[in-house]
Amino acid sequence: MRIVIAGGHGQIALRLERLLAARGDEVAGIIRKAEQADDLREAGAEPVVLDLESASVDEVAERLRGADAAVFAAGAGPGSGVARKDTVDKAAAILFADAAVKAGVRRFVIVSSMGADPRHQGDEIFDVYLRAKGEADAYVRGLDALDWTILRPGQLTDDAGTGLVRLEVRTGRGPIPRDDVAAVLAELVDTSATAGLTLELISGSTPVSVAVKSVAGN
């Protein structure tokens, strides 16, 4: 498979790139800064320098053409302000989805957040973030040209992955290592039977591949 990842230098994306490259997939990661390119090459991914906050749909679609799947794993990051929650977490996700449609890439996986909701109340930065993610998710759900899956991890940690997760429509809150999020994404990209599902993810007792097959059968 050829898989294009938005937010290619993110902590989850770099882990995902290593997993996909190790299993023989062709991986490209979209990054904002040229100096991040070597980290992607080290992970086995082709770096594509493109700023999703200023790029056009046509420009992004050109990078997606010929891909078998697209993964949106970009994020403004915890240190960013309100404005970038809108331009990255919402607008860039919508742009990437529109570009996938234009490029004819049906398989689309978006990394969202537990609690994402366009109607979420509050004025703190995290409230704005949850609204932005919720609005992006709602937009993607409305695109019939995409076989989309929305993944909503719980509290992200840098603990070593265990390969054991709980992946369901509703899990309740809990932590999840980034290693395990990447492992689930690698399986989801390959499992189009999860199309149309919004899934929550926390640490659990089920092996990743079994967890993904289980939700794919529902």
Side-chain angles (χ1 to χ4, degrees), residues 26 30 79 88 113 160 171 195 199:
E26 184 184 336
I30 295 176
V88 180
S113 174
T171 61
L199 301 167

Side-chain angles (χ1 to χ4, degrees), residues 30 49-61 63 91-92 95:
I30 295 176
V49 181
L50 184 68
D51 187 350
L52 294 177
E53 289 179 87
S54 59
S56 69
V57 171
D58 286 339
E59 287 172 322
V60 182
R63 307 312 199 280
L95 174 77

Side-chain angles (χ1 to χ4, degrees), residues 37-209:
D38 284 346
D39 290 339
L40 268 74
R41 292 190 190 100
E42 192 181 317
E46 166 202 343
V48 176
V49 181
L50 184 68
D51 187 350
L52 294 177
E53 289 179 87
S54 59
S56 69
V57 171
D58 286 339
E59 287 172 322
V60 182
E62 191 55 40
R63 307 312 199 280
L64 280 165
R65 224 169 290 286
D68 299 293
V71 179
F72 186 83
S80 59
V82 166
R84 295 199 71 230
K85 305 303 183 196
D86 189 63
T87 59
V88 180
D89 295 299
K90 176 185 172 184
I94 288 171
L95 174 77
F96 197 60
D98 284 341
V101 172
K102 186 152 196 160
V105 181
R106 287 206 64 93
R107 187 70 181 122
F108 191 89
V109 179
I110 182 167
V111 182
S112 183
S113 174
M114 186 138 349
D117 183 345
R119 296 173 303 279
H120 181 83
Q121 299 297 308
D123 299 315
E124 298 297 322
I125 286 183
F126 193 65
D127 298 321
V128 175
Y129 168 76
L130 290 177
R131 270 197 302 279
K133 295 298 275 185
E135 287 165 1
D137 293 353
Y139 185 85
V140 168
R141 285 195 191 103
L143 296 175
D144 293 337
L146 294 181
D147 295 329
W148 54 265
T149 302
I150 296 168
L151 183 65
R152 292 178 165 176
Q155 179 193 350
L156 298 170
T157 76
D158 288 324
D159 297 338
T162 65
L164 300 173
V165 300
R166 184 175 172 195
L167 178 70
E168 297 168 15
V169 173
R170 289 277 181 273
T171 61
R173 296 192 176 276
I176 180 79
R178 289 178 173 87
D179 287 350
D180 289 333
V181 177
V184 168
L185 287 169
E187 291 279 342
L188 287 175
V189 160
D190 232 5
T191 313
S192 56
T194 59
L197 296 179
T198 300
L199 301 167
E200 294 184 350
L201 173 68
I202 58 174
S203 291
S205 57
T206 305
V208 166
S209 60

Side-chain angles (χ1 to χ4, degrees), residues 5 7-10 13-14 17-18 21 27-31 33 35-48:
I5 302 170
H9 195 257
L14 285 168
E17 286 154 6
R18 289 188 195 99
V27 193
I30 295 176
I31 53 177
K33 300 174 182 174
E35 57 265 32
Q36 297 170 335
D38 284 346
D39 290 339
L40 268 74
R41 292 190 190 100
E42 192 181 317
E46 166 202 343
V48 176

